Amino acid sequence: MTGARTGGRLRAAMSRPEAALFALALGAYAYFYQAGGWNQNSRFDLVRAVVERGTASIEGYHHNTGDHSRKDGVHYCDKAPGASWLGVPVYAVARAAGGEPPTPRFLAVASYAVTVVAVGVPSAVAVVALCALVGALGVGRGPAIAIAAAYAFGTLAFPYATLFYGHQLMAALVVIGFAVAVRTVRAARAGTAAPRFASLFGAGLALGYAVVVEYPAALAVAPIAAYVAWGLWRDHRRAVAWFVAGGAGPAAALAAYHWIVFGGPLTLPYAFSTQPHRGQGFMGIGAPRDGATWGVLFSSYRGLFFSAPWLLVGVPGWAWMAADRRWRAEALVCAAAGGLFVWLNVSLVDWQGGWALGPRYLIGAIPFFAVGVAGWVLKWPARAPRGVTAAAWLAFAAAAGYSTAAMLAGTAVKPEVDVRIRHPFGDFVWPHFARGELAVSRQGIDDKHERRGGPPAAWNLGHLLGLSGLASLLPLAGWAAVCLAWLVRALRRSRDGPPAVA
């Protein structure tokens, strides 16, 4: 009976459109291996140091990156440790399976597995969580999936879900925590369901660990925590305590790491960075830099809305939601978190984010803009002519389609575009993509610089099957077709109602 019951639950879960959306996202994220770079090499060095030597020092590995800290003559990763910690068990299993000594081929495969598990899987979960979040606000399942899919493939979430960076993992954890918080608070205030302590503990855990992954996650965690306290403190104080307890564990682990490695619970690795410009002000926040606001929002160099114009609707969406008391609290959280991330980015001395496709420091803000887009759906007049509504959705589909094409091309070619290229898409991504030159990075996970004249270190799964050029994307296209057919069939069988948070 237990086996039959489990099988029935599995079939029910697989019949949900959210399952198809998850499979589509994870398949796309796991399709690409971007090889090395200073950021991912530094994080992977910490993974190797913990597993191979049982230490936090990356001494002996740091030759492959310029992103490191040096304290008392010893080198350390200059990033928050959360992404690396998630990669440790994956790398340990890979080593146990036969990685001694670690050859370049082994390191490439192991770093790919670490990236998929530590970044790709949480990012795919976050796509479903975003769908659930806007569903909890009252958006129907079809539009909720459309917004979540646009986020998954038509924003920087796509390329950065294939990189061993912290930005997208942080964003994923924040979305997951916020989705649980929204469902819990709204149900409690409506009196339809009492808060589940385990869910709130999990939300606190996700949000707390987001800060362990990237310190600026605090810019989103703070307004979300205030939202939970506002929504539950009066009648459900024990629930708030469970939420706080969930975040306390990651906070304690991070403080212990800082104390042991850098000498104090609040001493960040940037205090010892070999790059002096790191960590100026509170997480880098200060006066906006000249040209940075235009640069990170609208320019063809790093503009968020240049490569993902559909997100621009999120700004008036916040205002529309805030004007209605039914969604005012959630709108304020989104506007606060999104605004703080923009302020952070425009005030950084390296606001352009180095080698990148777009404003990578704004990746944590993207889900909040997406929720603002849901505000457009929530406030759309019910009596609007069908033709007008259809035209609006067509415009959304066109904008999201353009963004998806741009992000697919950037992910397939190389997400880390030389900082000196002023038009990353026009001068680099699209020309390479048109010529079928994909996965062009020649910098390995254990190399400090690109190997001139050598074969690319990056690849996609189509390359492993012997395909080349644009044909290497055919298996991905096949996977997308299968998942989309699955998604459409599941949508037809489901009722148009708000999806639940898992």
Side-chain angles (χ1 to χ4, degrees):
M1 290 294 293
T2 302
R5 190 179 299 114
T6 301
R9 290 176 179 174
L10 179 60
R11 286 191 296 272
M14 295 297 288
S15 68
R16 293 170 61 89
E18 292 84 2
L21 182 62
F22 172 82
L24 177 60
L26 182 57
Y29 297 161
Y31 197 80
F32 302 95
Y33 173 61
Q34 307 294 356
W38 280 14
N39 198 301
Q40 57 268 49
N41 288 9
S42 182
R43 296 176 194 275
F44 192 63
D45 286 348
L46 179 55
V47 174
R48 293 186 62 189
V50 172
V51 174
E52 295 178 8
R53 298 183 179 180
T55 178
S57 166
I58 63 170
E59 198 69 36
Y61 304 101
H62 70 278
H63 62 272
N64 60 25
T65 180
D67 285 348
H68 47 63
S69 296
R70 186 168 58 241
K71 179 178 179 288
D72 300 329
V74 179
H75 290 86
Y76 298 93
C77 174
D78 69 347
K79 315 296 181 188
S84 298
W85 288 355
L86 288 182
V88 164
V90 182
Y91 187 69
V93 170
R95 285 269 293 177
E100 182 61 43
T103 64
R105 179 181 178 85
F106 168 79
L107 291 177
V109 173
S111 63
Y112 165 75
V114 165
T115 303
V116 170
V117 174
V119 183
V121 172
S123 296
V125 173
V127 172
V128 177
L130 180 63
C131 181
L133 196 166
V134 298
L137 294 176
V139 176
R141 178 171 271 126
I145 286 178
I147 292 170
Y151 166 74
F153 306 112
T155 72
L156 290 175
F158 190 174
Y160 280 88
T162 70
L163 286 162
F164 194 43
Y165 278 50
H167 307 302
Q168 178 53 29
L169 174 58
M170 169 197 69
L173 293 170
V174 167
V175 170
I176 293 167
F178 189 32
V180 175
V182 167
R183 183 193 183 203
T184 302
V185 168
R186 292 184 69 85
R189 292 185 69 84
T192 57
R196 295 175 57 189
F197 295 159
S199 295
L200 282 171
F201 182 88
L205 181 66
L207 294 168
Y209 201 81
V211 180
V212 180
V213 172
E214 286 284 348
Y215 302 116
L219 301 177
V221 172
I224 295 173
Y227 170 79
V228 171
W230 164 82
L232 301 177
W233 181 254
R234 187 180 64 181
D235 300 317
H236 304 283
R237 296 187 180 184
R238 287 185 61 194
V240 176
W242 278 97
F243 174 80
V244 173
L254 183 61
Y257 172 80
H258 288 156
W259 202 328
I260 294 169
V261 177
F262 300 109
L266 299 179
T267 305
L268 307 188
Y270 288 148
F272 301 94
S273 176
T274 55
Q275 301 179 54
H277 66 274
R278 297 280 186 182
Q280 298 176 355
F282 177 68
M283 290 187 292
I285 284 182
R289 304 280 172 171
D290 289 342
T293 302
W294 174 265
V296 301
L297 294 179
F298 300 103
S299 75
S300 61
Y301 180 47
R302 289 291 186 270
L304 177 68
F305 303 130
F306 175 82
S307 58
W310 67 275
L311 288 174
L312 188 57
V313 180
V315 178
W318 293 339
W320 295 336
M321 292 171 67
D324 192 316
R325 56 185 302 183
R326 290 176 293 176
W327 303 293
R328 183 171 299 151
E330 292 81 10
L332 292 176
V333 171
C334 291
L340 286 170
F341 270 108
V342 172
W343 184 16
L344 166 69
N345 200 158
V346 301
S347 59
L348 291 174
V349 65
D350 57 342
W351 59 265
Q352 77 284 351
W355 288 38
L357 276 176
R360 63 184 177 94
Y361 298 131
L362 284 187
I363 290 176
I366 292 175
F368 299 101
F369 282 98
V371 175
V373 175
W376 165 72
V377 179
L378 291 168
K379 297 293 288 183
W380 189 258
R383 296 182 178 180
R386 289 185 178 181
V388 174
T389 301
W393 276 110
L394 184 61
F396 171 83
Y402 158 78
S403 301
T404 298
M407 292 303 156
L408 173 62
T411 305
V413 173
K414 185 184 178 185
E416 296 175 295
V417 180
D418 192 323
V419 68
R420 294 167 294 186
I421 297 177
R422 303 306 299 178
H423 307 284
F425 287 96
D427 295 342
F428 181 83
V429 170
W430 287 118
H432 278 285
F433 190 81
R435 294 192 295 267
E437 297 169 352
L438 309 185
V440 300
S441 176
R442 288 178 165 81
Q443 184 173 358
I445 197 67
D446 201 31
D447 300 327
K448 187 171 185 178
H449 303 291
E450 292 202 348
R451 296 168 291 181
R452 297 184 181 277
W459 39 262
N460 63 49
L461 296 185
H463 291 145
L464 300 186
L465 296 174
L467 302 174
S468 61
L470 294 177
S472 67
L473 299 179
L474 288 176
L476 176 60
W479 178 253
V482 169
C483 291
L484 287 173
W486 174 11
L487 177 61
V488 170
R489 183 178 182 184
L491 277 172
R492 286 177 176 174
R493 290 186 172 185
S494 67
R495 294 179 179 177
D496 189 21
V501 178

